[in-house]
Amino acid sequence: MFNAADYSDLLHQLETFFAQSTPSHPVSQPLDPAQLRDRLPLNLPAEGKPLADLKIETAAYLHHAVKTAHPSYFNQLWGGVNGACLMGELLTSATNTSMYTYEVAPVATLIEQALITKLGELIGFTHPDGQFTTGGSNGNLMAMAIARHRAMPTLKQDGMLNAPPLIAFVSADSHYSFAKAAHLLGLGTNQLWAVPTDAQGKLNVAELESLITKAHSLGAQPFFVAGTAGTTVRGAYDPLTEIAAVAQREGLWFHVDGAWGASVLLSPKHRELMRGVELADSVVWDAHKMMGMTLMCSVLLVKQRGQLLNTFSTQGTDYIFHADESEPVDLGPSTMHCGRRVDAVKLWLAWHHLGDRGWAALINHYFELAAYAECLIRNQPYLELVTPRESLNLCFRVLPQSPDQDANQLTLRVRQVLLQKGLAMVNYARIGKHIIFRLVICNNQTQCTDLDRLFEQIGAIAHHLQAEFPQEKT
Amino acid sequence: MFNAADYSDLLHQLETFFAQSTPSHPVSQPLDPAQLRDRLPLNLPAEGKPLADLKIETAAYLHHAVKTAHPSYFNQLWGGVNGACLMGELLTSATNTSMYTYEVAPVATLIEQALITKLGELIGFTHPDGQFTTGGSNGNLMAMAIARHRAMPTLKQDGMLNAPPLIAFVSADSHYSFAKAAHLLGLGTNQLWAVPTDAQGKLNVAELESLITKAHSLGAQPFFVAGTAGTTVRGAYDPLTEIAAVAQREGLWFHVDGAWGASVLLSPKHRELMRGVELADSVVWDAHKMMGMTLMCSVLLVKQRGQLLNTFSTQGTDYIFHADESEPVDLGPSTMHCGRRVDAVKLWLAWHHLGDRGWAALINHYFELAAYAECLIRNQPYLELVTPRESLNLCFRVLPQSPDQDANQLTLRVRQVLLQKGLAMVNYARIGKHIIFRLVICNNQTQCTDLDRLFEQIGAIAHHLQAEFPQEKT
């Protein structure tokens, strides 16, 4: 039923795909949807064909896929490739099981628990509880649900009908998943209060305190505060120790969204950025970002055992959960999901490949690259670092030669040319009125020479655009 | 960075694993967690090791993994193996991207849309909208969230604070994910009303109508009703046309949970079971169940375009979604997630492998096997079919030879012996006072001879247990 030989064509296609994920090839060749539709076998056939003939489809897929392992792929908070992780993915898919019961996933359950313990210890939790989730947004949602349950356990049955207004606090720079969570949980986004940030993009604790006072004065009930450890755009780390002190005094659940930045805990040199995380009640940590696992590989860690189970357990599950052991080994009752894909095995295998020291070296390397990129930006008069670099995000813009020209438009157009030519993929965002490049360093294929090349390209494109459109201003 | 040769050890280990997923080998060798922990390399090392040396870990994983592709694996609503799907998994992992933007996932986005269109057409939707989700529970949650948004669009901002009691109706045999959804959404499980079922396990429409009347009389606001197309335990199909009529009259959102059973739409012979599904507002369809895709491969289909986007869109996403095209191609804003794994590519590749006709043949084969299993049960006086078979679930129990003995205990113990000896994995559940085997036919490796062998084993074990413990009664 499974012949290794059937996979040799695909493996060789992949070998070529990765061999072409290098600077001499484009990172992508963007087409608009209509053009791309014409080039793909999207029609699903009435008659099938043998496995060997599927190389037509796989070749089409690979030809048009974005090369996220290309050293010039800086577009998101993930990228690169890890050979051990890919082996783990193949192992996971071939043994196809679901994380809900120990009965059908004995090995994966113990591996997931071992990883929860390890990551929990890195955070500083004494008896960590947790689950792998379907992504950082999912983890933030679950954390907010646990906090709500702690604040008002009757909500599970009664709903929010007669509940007081429950107020959650996040920084103005926090991820949009908190807004989705507030909506889904029935709190409403109006009950998610954005705390202003300081000039570096960190949550302002004095503002948090005054908002809590304001909430009380309105008869509302604060129940949750999140610190972001590595904000999405700037990579800023909120002052976790100070937020924790407020949370403790006010009886709020303290959650840390470390989806992007918690992985610095793997580096003795850089873990100081996460100072205070051990005071959190829950932490989200995406191993598919800085640790380079394939999507998804996201973890929710909870300080106190049993809170996941108390929040998410429900009736009507006895057809599947038969546990009569003293030790709770079925992970399913402690999550919002029923079936859940195995995401832990690839991380376990990658850990055996890299070891603690390999992870530390990887994180340190990223910080060295980020410092190098910062130098390159500072050394060019036509580039401006728009916000101080705290971690691996470099937010900069391209300045026009003439004050009559518009930096936002120029930055956008430089980005567009990079993308259209397949030279590099770097995303953009806004900070205040400025449109900025958000260059993210988290691709294990990237080296200093790749950054040299990127900035040479940016310089050349900017120069060319300004020569071509000297008067442009929008 | 990727050498096909690095994967040959693993592929050959997998070849052996699958070669041993046959009747001459155990389906699993259960160990309790403490025993299993001793046999696994769970300690995460400080020093890593080369890819080639990871075969120690992969061998340990495979040795203790449950063989879910074994022809005697009947334990869940999924099982078996599909070679094209596995290729799709490898393709997905190697090209590692996220479903949120067309920019980073152009091919996968168009493939997902093509599949949404195809599955939607099979349902009978004219302009289907939809998304792949992280599982059927996730799809049911999202459907209930869309229904809530339609009933009360201000909830997104205001929360449920001043909302009337919103009542959702599901059958008493519906999946527990609706209870988790009612809890998460802040409705509270008390606002999820269970409609009694008839003797076959189908939602009783007259009871639904009287519960709606009761809700109105209490000043509550009915907003959602779900029909289950293939219940979890019995495999019963709710009367969708009749529920749709009530939903339309009362202005309720009509959702169909077809996680288990929607795949019968692929068979012209058996699609009649889903009669009325075209009247639904939304449908969940798990391709990782009857269609044999690896977990997860789950789809939420929505009749009316734009409702997903209206429900789930939020502020604070402009750092990632830059769409200025007239055609909305970024899937991210229309979901509750941010990053989402690519689950569509494996289904697309499998469709090219099997074609419409291959799917129909697969579903028809399952129904033939289920009819065969029913005969085997009816022909044995010591077995009792506890509920009529409607689809691919066979709910039966083992009857003791003496009326002094307890059928529940006997059924449980037969199951335990099957499991402990690694002969077969079949789950159990309760129907009323009876503990029953829930034999599920959805494994493409299973043939009639495997069912013959299963029932011979059950007979032999039951005989042996009764001879050994003739007086037992609990």
Side-chain angles (χ1 to χ4, degrees), chain B residues 228-295:
Chain B
T228 303
T231 58
T232 310
V233 174
R234 300 199 232 189
Y237 284 71
D238 282 345
L240 304 183
T241 309
E242 291 78 359
I243 300 172
V246 176
Q248 190 167 17
R249 195 178 66 224
E250 300 285 342
L252 314 187
W253 183 274
F254 176 35
H255 174 65
V256 173
D257 177 4
W260 168 223
S263 299
V264 302
L265 289 167
L266 297 161
S267 160
K269 191 168 175 185
H270 296 288
R271 57 173 293 130
E272 180 65 12
L273 284 168
M274 294 288 289
R275 189 173 43 85
V277 70
E278 70 281 1
L279 305 169
D281 294 297
S282 56
V283 178
V284 159
W285 181 339
D286 285 359
H288 61 253
K289 293 195 168 90
M290 228 178 268
M291 294 173 83
M293 296 298 95
T294 52
L295 297 113

Side-chain angles (χ1 to χ4, degrees), chain B residues 172-241:
Chain B
D173 277 13
S174 68
H175 189 255
Y176 71 78
S177 51
F178 290 109
K180 292 211 174 188
H183 161 219
L184 272 167
L185 293 172
L187 299 164
T189 50
N190 290 344
Q191 275 64 249
L192 181 75
W193 289 15
V195 184
T197 56
D198 66 16
Q200 289 180 286
K202 295 167 182 282
L203 183 144
N204 184 317
V205 179
E207 297 268 15
L208 169 65
E209 290 178 300
S210 66
L211 284 173
I212 292 171
T213 304
K214 181 180 168 189
H216 285 301
S217 74
L218 294 171
Q221 181 179 330
F223 78 109
F224 175 91
V225 61
T228 303
T231 58
T232 310
V233 174
R234 300 199 232 189
Y237 284 71
D238 282 345
L240 304 183
T241 309

Side-chain angles (χ1 to χ4, degrees), chain A residues 121 173 266 400 459:
Chain A
E121 284 170 0
D173 276 13
L266 297 161

Side-chain angles (χ1 to χ4, degrees), chain A residues 136-179:
Chain A
S137 290
N138 185 209
N140 285 335
L141 170 68
M142 287 174 68
M144 204 185 268
I146 300 169
R148 185 185 65 168
H149 179 73
R150 194 191 59 155
M152 202 152 292
T154 56
L155 259 172
K156 198 167 168 175
Q157 287 78 38
D158 297 345
M160 303 199 60
L161 209 57
N162 299 309
L166 293 171
I167 309 293
F169 303 91
V170 293
S171 103
D173 276 13
S174 67
H175 188 255
Y176 70 76
S177 52
F178 290 109

Side-chain angles (χ1 to χ4, degrees), chain B residues 318-374:
Chain B
D318 65 350
Y319 78 93
I320 183 167
F321 303 121
H322 312 306
D324 49 3
E325 300 91 350
S326 53
E327 180 188 21
V329 280
D330 288 344
L331 297 178
S334 301
T335 175
M336 60 177 274
H337 306 283
C338 175
R340 180 162 61 80
R341 186 170 186 271
V342 177
D343 288 327
V345 171
K346 59 192 177 189
L347 179 58
W348 168 76
L349 211 55
W351 212 302
H352 280 281
H353 180 44
L354 288 179
D356 300 340
R357 288 191 227 280
W359 291 126
L362 181 71
I363 304 298
N364 292 346
H365 174 58
Y366 288 153
F367 273 84
E368 287 159 16
L369 284 175
Y372 184 75
E374 183 177 347

Side-chain angles (χ1 to χ4, degrees), chain A residues 255-318:
Chain A
H255 174 65
V256 173
D257 177 5
W260 168 223
S263 298
V264 300
L265 289 167
L266 297 161
S267 160
K269 192 168 175 184
H270 296 287
R271 58 172 294 131
E272 180 66 12
L273 283 168
M274 294 288 289
R275 189 173 45 83
V277 71
E278 70 281 0
L279 304 169
D281 294 298
S282 55
V283 179
V284 159
W285 180 339
D286 284 359
H288 62 252
K289 294 196 167 91
M290 228 178 268
M291 295 173 83
M293 297 298 95
T294 53
L295 295 116
M296 308 303 291
C297 193
S298 182
V299 183
L300 171 64
L301 293 135
V302 179
K303 177 180 265 164
Q304 193 178 319
R305 279 185 194 268
Q307 286 176 313
L308 274 162
L309 181 63
N310 290 344
T311 302
F312 294 108
S313 64
T314 190
Q315 301 288 310
T317 63
D318 65 350

Side-chain angles (χ1 to χ4, degrees), chain A residues 47 103 180 335 357, chain B residues 47 103 180 335 357 415:
Chain A
E47 292 291 347
E103 186 173 279
K180 291 211 174 187
T335 176
R357 289 190 226 279
Chain B
E47 292 290 348
E103 184 174 279
K180 292 211 174 188
T335 175
R357 288 191 227 280
R415 195 245 175 189

Side-chain angles (χ1 to χ4, degrees), chain A residues 4 15 47 49 68 78 96 100 103 148 157 160 180 183 186 190 295 322 335 353 357 415 427, chain B residues 4 15 47 49 68 78 96 100 103 148 157 160 180 183 186 190 322 327 335 353 357 415 427:
Chain A
E15 203 167 50
E47 292 291 347
K49 59 184 179 182
T68 64
W78 47 265
N96 188 37
Y100 40 37
E103 186 173 279
R148 185 185 65 168
Q157 287 78 38
M160 303 199 60
K180 291 211 174 187
H183 161 220
N190 290 344
L295 295 116
H322 311 307
T335 176
H353 180 44
R357 289 190 226 279
R415 194 244 176 192
N427 219 333
Chain B
E15 202 167 51
E47 292 290 348
K49 58 185 179 183
T68 63
W78 46 267
N96 187 38
Y100 38 38
E103 184 174 279
R148 185 184 65 168
Q157 288 78 39
M160 303 199 60
K180 292 211 174 188
H183 161 219
N190 290 344
H322 312 306
E327 180 188 21
T335 175
H353 180 44
R357 288 191 227 280
R415 195 245 175 189
N427 219 334

